[in-house]
Amino acid sequence: MGGRRAGYGVYVYPNSFFRYEGEWRGSRKHGQGKLLFKDGSYYEGEFVDGEITGEGCRHWALTGNTYTGQFVLGEPQGHGVMKYKAGGRYEGELFRGLREGQGHLVDADGQAYWGSFHDNKRHGQGRMVFRNGDEYEGDWVRDQRQGHGTLRRADGSIYEGQWHGDVFSGQGSMAHCSGGVYRGVWINGHPMAQATEIMILGPEVMDVARGSSFTLTIQLQRDDGEVATGTTSAFSWTRSVDGISPVVALRPSLPPSAQRCSPLCGPLASHPARPALCSPASVGDSPVLGAWLL
């Protein structure tokens, strides 16, 4: 054979960093084989004319990551599965070792994304389920929600509209789980029309039968008394009146302080991508009212 390697054999490179065990053709690695690295890394799979090309498995000792799938000239390229030592996995398309095209990524926290990737980042159309149960579907730009999308929160609140820099920005609509709705322009995650006062519309005193429900209609106003444009709110509240008088007294105007809205509305809870929420409070042991304050 004139000294040319062919068939199956083992070759240790002069620098002793590489060791190859497998098939040869014309003195080149060709067919099935395993290339071992001195640091503990390895590739096992197909070779074509001396190059890592075809189906195989690659393990990196430095990172602890392992990839199984298609290769082109030594790089993960095509379709495959990458398992990360730190936790999580990616299954989908790659180009030159980076996530590129359609894929499914689960991170170390269990958050999952299905959709388009570019340059290893979420980019294009995609859907993501977050650790807290929130779900987003829409446009992404370099790992951030940007463009048009819909966020469904675990508490039932829904935002649909424009995003920029991972927050609500532009025209959008938020239907909060409490019943409040805001439709209008958002700036840096907050409605442009900011309310500072809650006005309860209707009588100041209501007779409520034991165990029955009633509806409160509220209006969000600004400091000048004008209605905050784009907000509509109606809340239905059912409570037990055992041990409590079934006559409910309501103040028509409920200006909030920095920490509390009023005796009828509990502590404010803030979120970087939504209006501050006045969470249900208690009269006795019963929730009373949920409303937005900005």
Side-chain angles (χ1 to χ4, degrees):
M1 297 291 293
R4 296 170 67 84
R5 292 183 288 271
Y8 181 88
V10 176
Y11 180 73
V12 179
Y13 288 73
N15 62 12
S16 75
F17 189 80
F18 301 102
R19 173 188 172 92
Y20 175 75
E21 303 173 0
E23 298 176 326
W24 299 80
R25 189 181 71 177
S27 290
R28 293 184 177 183
K29 300 182 291 292
H30 190 92
Q32 291 292 319
K34 185 172 185 178
L35 184 64
L36 299 99
F37 301 77
K38 195 171 184 178
D39 67 352
S41 302
Y42 66 85
Y43 167 82
E44 185 170 11
E46 294 181 314
F47 291 81
V48 176
D49 290 331
E51 299 289 349
I52 295 175
T53 297
E55 295 281 343
C57 176
R58 176 81 157 89
H59 174 75
W60 291 266
L62 181 62
T63 62
N65 299 339
T66 302
Y67 170 79
T68 303
Q70 298 174 324
F71 289 80
V72 175
L73 300 178
E75 296 278 8
Q77 188 162 314
H79 186 274
V81 177
M82 181 76 79
K83 295 181 180 179
Y84 303 99
K85 181 182 179 181
R89 70 195 298 269
Y90 170 77
E91 180 172 1
E93 299 172 316
L94 299 99
F95 181 74
R96 294 183 177 176
L98 301 178
R99 297 187 289 267
E100 186 77 25
Q102 295 296 307
H104 175 208
L105 176 66
V106 179
D107 67 18
D109 295 324
Q111 302 183 125
Y113 172 85
W114 297 262
S116 180
F117 290 84
H118 175 64
D119 198 24
N120 222 41
K121 299 181 183 295
R122 293 164 292 180
H123 191 92
Q125 282 286 318
R127 178 170 70 93
M128 184 159 182
V129 177
F130 296 88
R131 182 174 53 181
N132 63 0
D134 291 354
E135 181 176 332
Y136 171 82
E137 185 168 6
D139 298 326
W140 295 78
V141 175
R142 299 187 64 80
D143 267 350
Q144 291 191 328
R145 292 167 288 186
Q146 190 156 312
H148 186 274
T150 300
L151 176 68
R152 292 177 174 84
R153 293 194 180 279
D155 64 7
S157 304
I158 299 175
Y159 171 83
E160 181 177 2
Q162 296 298 308
W163 295 72
H164 185 83
D166 222 32
V167 298
F168 310 156
S169 187
Q171 193 72 28
S173 172
M174 166 68 87
H176 192 264
C177 59
S178 60
V181 177
Y182 174 85
R183 298 182 181 91
V185 177
W186 299 73
I187 300 175
N188 293 327
H190 298 279
M192 183 175 69
Q194 296 195 359
T196 57
E197 186 171 86
I198 299 175
M199 177 69 71
I200 296 180
L201 306 180
E204 294 188 18
V205 178
M206 299 174 62
D207 291 327
V208 181
R210 187 182 303 273
S212 65
S213 64
F214 62 91
T215 299
L216 297 178
T217 300
I218 70 169
Q219 191 175 81
L220 304 185
Q221 298 184 351
R222 298 193 298 265
D223 285 332
D224 59 7
E226 294 294 322
V227 176
T229 305
T231 59
T232 59
S233 304
F235 301 91
S236 181
W237 166 45
T238 302
R239 79 171 182 70
S240 170
V241 294
D242 292 343
I244 303 175
S245 170
V247 178
V248 180
L250 303 174
R251 292 193 300 164
S253 180
L254 303 174
S257 68
Q259 297 297 323
R260 298 189 60 82
C261 306
S262 74
L264 286 182
C265 193
L268 293 176
S270 299
H271 190 283
R274 61 175 170 176
L277 169 64
C278 183
S279 58
S282 295
V283 172
D285 296 324
S286 303
V288 177
L289 177 63
W292 283 347
L293 284 181
L294 312 178

PDB file of all heavy atoms in Angstrom, residues 64-94:
ATOM      1  N   GLY A  64     -17.586  21.199  30.080  1.00  0.00           N
ATOM      2  CA  GLY A  64     -18.459  20.097  30.477  1.00  0.00           C
ATOM      3  C   GLY A  64     -19.657  19.922  29.578  1.00  0.00           C
ATOM      4  O   GLY A  64     -20.510  19.065  29.820  1.00  0.00           O
ATOM      5  N   ASN A  65     -19.744  20.716  28.492  1.00  0.00           N
ATOM      6  CA  ASN A  65     -20.871  20.615  27.560  1.00  0.00           C
ATOM      7  C   ASN A  65     -20.679  19.448  26.603  1.00  0.00           C
ATOM      8  O   ASN A  65     -19.543  19.094  26.250  1.00  0.00           O
ATOM      9  CB  ASN A  65     -21.019  21.909  26.756  1.00  0.00           C
ATOM     10  CG  ASN A  65     -21.299  23.115  27.636  1.00  0.00           C
ATOM     11  OD1 ASN A  65     -21.770  22.971  28.772  1.00  0.00           O
ATOM     12  ND2 ASN A  65     -21.016  24.294  27.129  1.00  0.00           N
ATOM     13  N   THR A  66     -21.787  18.878  26.147  1.00  0.00           N
ATOM     14  CA  THR A  66     -21.747  17.767  25.202  1.00  0.00           C
ATOM     15  C   THR A  66     -22.752  18.011  24.091  1.00  0.00           C
ATOM     16  O   THR A  66     -23.913  18.339  24.354  1.00  0.00           O
ATOM     17  CB  THR A  66     -22.074  16.429  25.894  1.00  0.00           C
ATOM     18  OG1 THR A  66     -21.136  16.207  26.954  1.00  0.00           O
ATOM     19  CG2 THR A  66     -22.002  15.273  24.913  1.00  0.00           C
ATOM     20  N   TYR A  67     -22.285  17.857  22.844  1.00  0.00           N
ATOM     21  CA  TYR A  67     -23.144  18.057  21.682  1.00  0.00           C
ATOM     22  C   TYR A  67     -23.233  16.774  20.873  1.00  0.00           C
ATOM     23  O   TYR A  67     -22.213  16.118  20.611  1.00  0.00           O
ATOM     24  CB  TYR A  67     -22.595  19.181  20.799  1.00  0.00           C
ATOM     25  CG  TYR A  67     -23.279  19.291  19.453  1.00  0.00           C
ATOM     26  CD1 TYR A  67     -24.517  19.912  19.321  1.00  0.00           C
ATOM     27  CD2 TYR A  67     -22.680  18.760  18.310  1.00  0.00           C
ATOM     28  CE1 TYR A  67     -25.138  20.008  18.090  1.00  0.00           C
ATOM     29  CE2 TYR A  67     -23.297  18.863  17.070  1.00  0.00           C
ATOM     30  CZ  TYR A  67     -24.524  19.478  16.965  1.00  0.00           C
ATOM     31  OH  TYR A  67     -25.152  19.574  15.741  1.00  0.00           O
ATOM     32  N   THR A  68     -24.442  16.440  20.471  1.00  0.00           N
ATOM     33  CA  THR A  68     -24.676  15.292  19.612  1.00  0.00           C
ATOM     34  C   THR A  68     -25.495  15.732  18.408  1.00  0.00           C
ATOM     35  O   THR A  68     -26.576  16.327  18.577  1.00  0.00           O
ATOM     36  CB  THR A  68     -25.440  14.180  20.360  1.00  0.00           C
ATOM     37  OG1 THR A  68     -24.714  13.812  21.530  1.00  0.00           O
ATOM     38  CG2 THR A  68     -25.617  12.952  19.484  1.00  0.00           C
ATOM     39  N   GLY A  69     -24.965  15.503  17.215  1.00  0.00           N
ATOM     40  CA  GLY A  69     -25.695  15.916  16.022  1.00  0.00           C
ATOM     41  C   GLY A  69     -24.790  16.025  14.822  1.00  0.00           C
ATOM     42  O   GLY A  69     -23.805  15.287  14.689  1.00  0.00           O
ATOM     43  N   GLN A  70     -25.089  16.976  13.952  1.00  0.00           N
ATOM     44  CA  GLN A  70     -24.374  17.134  12.692  1.00  0.00           C
ATOM     45  C   GLN A  70     -23.177  18.070  12.846  1.00  0.00           C
ATOM     46  O   GLN A  70     -23.226  19.055  13.593  1.00  0.00           O
ATOM     47  CB  GLN A  70     -25.326  17.668  11.623  1.00  0.00           C
ATOM     48  CG  GLN A  70     -26.487  16.716  11.320  1.00  0.00           C
ATOM     49  CD  GLN A  70     -27.504  17.323  10.369  1.00  0.00           C
ATOM     50  OE1 GLN A  70     -27.787  18.513  10.408  1.00  0.00           O
ATOM     51  NE2 GLN A  70     -28.068  16.488   9.508  1.00  0.00           N
ATOM     52  N   PHE A  71     -22.115  17.750  12.096  1.00  0.00           N
ATOM     53  CA  PHE A  71     -20.880  18.547  12.088  1.00  0.00           C
ATOM     54  C   PHE A  71     -20.485  18.863  10.651  1.00  0.00           C
ATOM     55  O   PHE A  71     -20.735  18.073   9.741  1.00  0.00           O
ATOM     56  CB  PHE A  71     -19.730  17.780  12.745  1.00  0.00           C
ATOM     57  CG  PHE A  71     -19.846  17.632  14.234  1.00  0.00           C
ATOM     58  CD1 PHE A  71     -20.671  16.663  14.803  1.00  0.00           C
ATOM     59  CD2 PHE A  71     -19.119  18.462  15.077  1.00  0.00           C
ATOM     60  CE1 PHE A  71     -20.761  16.519  16.170  1.00  0.00           C
ATOM     61  CE2 PHE A  71     -19.215  18.314  16.462  1.00  0.00           C
ATOM     62  CZ  PHE A  71     -20.039  17.346  17.005  1.00  0.00           C
ATOM     63  N   VAL A  72     -19.829  20.018  10.485  1.00  0.00           N
ATOM     64  CA  VAL A  72     -19.222  20.395   9.212  1.00  0.00           C
ATOM     65  C   VAL A  72     -17.851  20.977   9.515  1.00  0.00           C
ATOM     66  O   VAL A  72     -17.745  21.978  10.239  1.00  0.00           O
ATOM     67  CB  VAL A  72     -20.077  21.417   8.437  1.00  0.00           C
ATOM     68  CG1 VAL A  72     -19.343  21.876   7.174  1.00  0.00           C
ATOM     69  CG2 VAL A  72     -21.433  20.809   8.061  1.00  0.00           C
ATOM     70  N   LEU A  73     -16.811  20.337   9.024  1.00  0.00           N
ATOM     71  CA  LEU A  73     -15.430  20.796   9.203  1.00  0.00           C
ATOM     72  C   LEU A  73     -15.111  21.089  10.671  1.00  0.00           C
ATOM     73  O   LEU A  73     -14.527  22.130  11.011  1.00  0.00           O
ATOM     74  CB  LEU A  73     -15.162  22.026   8.333  1.00  0.00           C
ATOM     75  CG  LEU A  73     -15.338  21.824   6.819  1.00  0.00           C
ATOM     76  CD1 LEU A  73     -15.102  23.127   6.076  1.00  0.00           C
ATOM     77  CD2 LEU A  73     -14.391  20.735   6.307  1.00  0.00           C
ATOM     78  N   GLY A  74     -15.508  20.180  11.540  1.00  0.00           N
ATOM     79  CA  GLY A  74     -15.161  20.281  12.950  1.00  0.00           C
ATOM     80  C   GLY A  74     -16.100  21.101  13.810  1.00  0.00           C
ATOM     81  O   GLY A  74     -15.960  21.112  15.037  1.00  0.00           O
ATOM     82  N   GLU A  75     -17.057  21.814  13.192  1.00  0.00           N
ATOM     83  CA  GLU A  75     -17.980  22.663  13.950  1.00  0.00           C
ATOM     84  C   GLU A  75     -19.364  22.036  14.003  1.00  0.00           C
ATOM     85  O   GLU A  75     -19.838  21.474  13.001  1.00  0.00           O
ATOM     86  CB  GLU A  75     -18.090  24.046  13.283  1.00  0.00           C
ATOM     87  CG  GLU A  75     -16.809  24.847  13.269  1.00  0.00           C
ATOM     88  CD  GLU A  75     -16.575  25.565  14.580  1.00  0.00           C
ATOM     89  OE1 GLU A  75     -17.319  25.332  15.549  1.00  0.00           O
ATOM     90  OE2 GLU A  75     -15.624  26.382  14.631  1.00  0.00           O
ATOM     91  N   PRO A  76     -20.056  22.132  15.154  1.00  0.00           N
ATOM     92  CA  PRO A  76     -21.461  21.738  15.186  1.00  0.00           C
ATOM     93  C   PRO A  76     -22.253  22.587  14.187  1.00  0.00           C
ATOM     94  O   PRO A  76     -22.267  23.819  14.291  1.00  0.00           O
ATOM     95  CB  PRO A  76     -21.889  22.041  16.628  1.00  0.00           C
ATOM     96  CG  PRO A  76     -20.616  21.989  17.422  1.00  0.00           C
ATOM     97  CD  PRO A  76     -19.576  22.550  16.490  1.00  0.00           C
ATOM     98  N   GLN A  77     -22.872  21.947  13.221  1.00  0.00           N
ATOM     99  CA  GLN A  77     -23.585  22.678  12.176  1.00  0.00           C
ATOM    100  C   GLN A  77     -24.649  21.768  11.575  1.00  0.00           C
ATOM    101  O   GLN A  77     -24.381  20.639  11.198  1.00  0.00           O
ATOM    102  CB  GLN A  77     -22.618  23.148  11.088  1.00  0.00           C
ATOM    103  CG  GLN A  77     -23.246  24.079  10.065  1.00  0.00           C
ATOM    104  CD  GLN A  77     -22.194  24.859   9.288  1.00  0.00           C
ATOM    105  OE1 GLN A  77     -21.258  25.399   9.880  1.00  0.00           O
ATOM    106  NE2 GLN A  77     -22.337  24.913   7.980  1.00  0.00           N
ATOM    107  N   GLY A  78     -25.871  22.325  11.503  1.00  0.00           N
ATOM    108  CA  GLY A  78     -27.013  21.537  11.069  1.00  0.00           C
ATOM    109  C   GLY A  78     -27.965  21.380  12.240  1.00  0.00           C
ATOM    110  O   GLY A  78     -28.243  22.339  12.959  1.00  0.00           O
ATOM    111  N   HIS A  79     -28.436  20.161  12.457  1.00  0.00           N
ATOM    112  CA  HIS A  79     -29.360  19.903  13.569  1.00  0.00           C
ATOM    113  C   HIS A  79     -28.669  19.070  14.636  1.00  0.00           C
ATOM    114  O   HIS A  79     -27.934  18.128  14.328  1.00  0.00           O
ATOM    115  CB  HIS A  79     -30.609  19.166  13.074  1.00  0.00           C
ATOM    116  CG  HIS A  79     -31.661  18.997  14.133  1.00  0.00           C
ATOM    117  ND1 HIS A  79     -31.665  17.949  15.026  1.00  0.00           N
ATOM    118  CD2 HIS A  79     -32.735  19.775  14.459  1.00  0.00           C
ATOM    119  CE1 HIS A  79     -32.697  18.069  15.834  1.00  0.00           C
ATOM    120  NE2 HIS A  79     -33.364  19.161  15.516  1.00  0.00           N
ATOM    121  N   GLY A  80     -28.928  19.436  15.906  1.00  0.00           N
ATOM    122  CA  GLY A  80     -28.310  18.672  16.986  1.00  0.00           C
ATOM    123  C   GLY A  80     -28.849  19.039  18.344  1.00  0.00           C
ATOM    124  O   GLY A  80     -29.740  19.893  18.478  1.00  0.00           O
ATOM    125  N   VAL A  81     -28.282  18.395  19.369  1.00  0.00           N
ATOM    126  CA  VAL A  81     -28.676  18.623  20.761  1.00  0.00           C
ATOM    127  C   VAL A  81     -27.431  18.970  21.567  1.00  0.00           C
ATOM    128  O   VAL A  81     -26.454  18.222  21.576  1.00  0.00           O
ATOM    129  CB  VAL A  81     -29.350  17.379  21.365  1.00  0.00           C
ATOM    130  CG1 VAL A  81     -29.680  17.616  22.837  1.00  0.00           C
ATOM    131  CG2 VAL A  81     -30.616  17.013  20.587  1.00  0.00           C
ATOM    132  N   MET A  82     -27.467  20.118  22.239  1.00  0.00           N
ATOM    133  CA  MET A  82     -26.381  20.547  23.112  1.00  0.00           C
ATOM    134  C   MET A  82     -26.856  20.461  24.557  1.00  0.00           C
ATOM    135  O   MET A  82     -27.876  21.063  24.924  1.00  0.00           O
ATOM    136  CB  MET A  82     -25.966  21.983  22.804  1.00  0.00           C
ATOM    137  CG  MET A  82     -24.810  22.500  23.653  1.00  0.00           C
ATOM    138  SD  MET A  82     -23.204  21.844  23.157  1.00  0.00           S
ATOM    139  CE  MET A  82     -22.876  22.903  21.710  1.00  0.00           C
ATOM    140  N   LYS A  83     -26.133  19.703  25.381  1.00  0.00           N
ATOM    141  CA  LYS A  83     -26.440  19.605  26.799  1.00  0.00           C
ATOM    142  C   LYS A  83     -25.379  20.370  27.577  1.00  0.00           C
ATOM    143  O   LYS A  83     -24.186  20.145  27.387  1.00  0.00           O
ATOM    144  CB  LYS A  83     -26.474  18.137  27.239  1.00  0.00           C
ATOM    145  CG  LYS A  83     -27.593  17.339  26.588  1.00  0.00           C
ATOM    146  CD  LYS A  83     -27.610  15.897  27.076  1.00  0.00           C
ATOM    147  CE  LYS A  83     -28.732  15.101  26.428  1.00  0.00           C
ATOM    148  NZ  LYS A  83     -28.742  13.684  26.876  1.00  0.00           N
ATOM    149  N   TYR A  84     -25.831  21.273  28.458  1.00  0.00           N
ATOM    150  CA  TYR A  84     -24.926  22.146  29.181  1.00  0.00           C
ATOM    151  C   TYR A  84     -24.679  21.611  30.601  1.00  0.00           C
ATOM    152  O   TYR A  84     -25.617  21.206  31.299  1.00  0.00           O
ATOM    153  CB  TYR A  84     -25.510  23.559  29.256  1.00  0.00           C
ATOM    154  CG  TYR A  84     -25.806  24.147  27.900  1.00  0.00           C
ATOM    155  CD1 TYR A  84     -27.097  24.127  27.383  1.00  0.00           C
ATOM    156  CD2 TYR A  84     -24.788  24.695  27.126  1.00  0.00           C
ATOM    157  CE1 TYR A  84     -27.373  24.661  26.133  1.00  0.00           C
ATOM    158  CE2 TYR A  84     -25.055  25.231  25.876  1.00  0.00           C
ATOM    159  CZ  TYR A  84     -26.353  25.209  25.380  1.00  0.00           C
ATOM    160  OH  TYR A  84     -26.616  25.730  24.137  1.00  0.00           O
ATOM    161  N   LYS A  85     -23.421  21.633  30.997  1.00  0.00           N
ATOM    162  CA  LYS A  85     -23.066  21.137  32.328  1.00  0.00           C
ATOM    163  C   LYS A  85     -23.760  21.940  33.419  1.00  0.00           C
ATOM    164  O   LYS A  85     -24.176  21.391  34.451  1.00  0.00           O
ATOM    165  CB  LYS A  85     -21.549  21.200  32.521  1.00  0.00           C
ATOM    166  CG  LYS A  85     -21.088  20.680  33.880  1.00  0.00           C
ATOM    167  CD  LYS A  85     -19.590  20.795  34.061  1.00  0.00           C
ATOM    168  CE  LYS A  85     -19.144  20.294  35.425  1.00  0.00           C
ATOM    169  NZ  LYS A  85     -17.677  20.426  35.610  1.00  0.00           N
ATOM    170  N   ALA A  86     -23.906  23.244  33.202  1.00  0.00           N
ATOM    171  CA  ALA A  86     -24.532  24.111  34.198  1.00  0.00           C
ATOM    172  C   ALA A  86     -26.030  23.858  34.317  1.00  0.00           C
ATOM    173  O   ALA A  86     -26.677  24.374  35.235  1.00  0.00           O
ATOM    174  CB  ALA A  86     -24.277  25.578  33.850  1.00  0.00           C
ATOM    175  N   GLY A  87     -26.588  23.066  33.397  1.00  0.00           N
ATOM    176  CA  GLY A  87     -28.017  22.788  33.393  1.00  0.00           C
ATOM    177  C   GLY A  87     -28.660  23.319  32.137  1.00  0.00           C
ATOM    178  O   GLY A  87     -28.231  24.329  31.585  1.00  0.00           O
ATOM    179  N   GLY A  88     -29.688  22.637  31.677  1.00  0.00           N
ATOM    180  CA  GLY A  88     -30.386  23.067  30.478  1.00  0.00           C
ATOM    181  C   GLY A  88     -29.874  22.355  29.236  1.00  0.00           C
ATOM    182  O   GLY A  88     -28.839  21.672  29.255  1.00  0.00           O
ATOM    183  N   ARG A  89     -30.602  22.553  28.145  1.00  0.00           N
ATOM    184  CA  ARG A  89     -30.237  21.932  26.880  1.00  0.00           C
ATOM    185  C   ARG A  89     -30.833  22.725  25.727  1.00  0.00           C
ATOM    186  O   ARG A  89     -31.795  23.471  25.904  1.00  0.00           O
ATOM    187  CB  ARG A  89     -30.727  20.469  26.831  1.00  0.00           C
ATOM    188  CG  ARG A  89     -32.235  20.323  26.717  1.00  0.00           C
ATOM    189  CD  ARG A  89     -32.704  18.913  27.029  1.00  0.00           C
ATOM    190  NE  ARG A  89     -32.175  17.931  26.115  1.00  0.00           N
ATOM    191  CZ  ARG A  89     -32.766  17.548  24.983  1.00  0.00           C
ATOM    192  NH1 ARG A  89     -33.908  18.128  24.616  1.00  0.00           N
ATOM    193  NH2 ARG A  89     -32.242  16.615  24.226  1.00  0.00           N
ATOM    194  N   TYR A  90     -30.231  22.555  24.563  1.00  0.00           N
ATOM    195  CA  TYR A  90     -30.737  23.172  23.341  1.00  0.00           C
ATOM    196  C   TYR A  90     -30.883  22.094  22.277  1.00  0.00           C
ATOM    197  O   TYR A  90     -29.966  21.280  22.077  1.00  0.00           O
ATOM    198  CB  TYR A  90     -29.786  24.255  22.830  1.00  0.00           C
ATOM    199  CG  TYR A  90     -30.144  24.758  21.437  1.00  0.00           C
ATOM    200  CD1 TYR A  90     -31.200  25.650  21.246  1.00  0.00           C
ATOM    201  CD2 TYR A  90     -29.445  24.325  20.317  1.00  0.00           C
ATOM    202  CE1 TYR A  90     -31.545  26.095  19.983  1.00  0.00           C
ATOM    203  CE2 TYR A  90     -29.781  24.774  19.043  1.00  0.00           C
ATOM    204  CZ  TYR A  90     -30.829  25.659  18.885  1.00  0.00           C
ATOM    205  OH  TYR A  90     -31.167  26.089  17.630  1.00  0.00           O
ATOM    206  N   GLU A  91     -32.015  22.085  21.606  1.00  0.00           N
ATOM    207  CA  GLU A  91     -32.217  21.184  20.478  1.00  0.00           C
ATOM    208  C   GLU A  91     -32.712  21.992  19.293  1.00  0.00           C
ATOM    209  O   GLU A  91     -33.714  22.700  19.381  1.00  0.00           O
ATOM    210  CB  GLU A  91     -33.226  20.093  20.808  1.00  0.00           C
ATOM    211  CG  GLU A  91     -33.456  19.120  19.650  1.00  0.00           C
ATOM    212  CD  GLU A  91     -34.306  17.928  20.008  1.00  0.00           C
ATOM    213  OE1 GLU A  91     -34.752  17.845  21.173  1.00  0.00           O
ATOM    214  OE2 GLU A  91     -34.520  17.064  19.134  1.00  0.00           O
ATOM    215  N   GLY A  92     -31.979  21.914  18.197  1.00  0.00           N
ATOM    216  CA  GLY A  92     -32.378  22.668  17.021  1.00  0.00           C
ATOM    217  C   GLY A  92     -31.232  22.865  16.058  1.00  0.00           C
ATOM    218  O   GLY A  92     -30.284  22.077  16.007  1.00  0.00           O
ATOM    219  N   GLU A  93     -31.307  23.964  15.305  1.00  0.00           N
ATOM    220  CA  GLU A  93     -30.341  24.233  14.248  1.00  0.00           C
ATOM    221  C   GLU A  93     -29.157  25.044  14.772  1.00  0.00           C
ATOM    222  O   GLU A  93     -29.316  25.914  15.631  1.00  0.00           O
ATOM    223  CB  GLU A  93     -31.033  24.980  13.105  1.00  0.00           C
ATOM    224  CG  GLU A  93     -32.165  24.179  12.469  1.00  0.00           C
ATOM    225  CD  GLU A  93     -32.966  24.984  11.464  1.00  0.00           C
ATOM    226  OE1 GLU A  93     -33.284  26.150  11.767  1.00  0.00           O
ATOM    227  OE2 GLU A  93     -33.275  24.441  10.382  1.00  0.00           O
ATOM    228  N   LEU A  94     -27.972  24.743  14.227  1.00  0.00           N
ATOM    229  CA  LEU A  94     -26.761  25.472  14.583  1.00  0.00           C
ATOM    230  C   LEU A  94     -25.972  25.814  13.331  1.00  0.00           C
ATOM    231  O   LEU A  94     -26.099  25.146  12.290  1.00  0.00           O
ATOM    232  CB  LEU A  94     -25.866  24.663  15.523  1.00  0.00           C
ATOM    233  CG  LEU A  94     -26.449  24.268  16.879  1.00  0.00           C
ATOM    234  CD1 LEU A  94     -26.966  22.837  16.845  1.00  0.00           C
ATOM    235  CD2 LEU A  94     -25.415  24.448  17.990  1.00  0.00           C
TER     236      LEU A  94
END
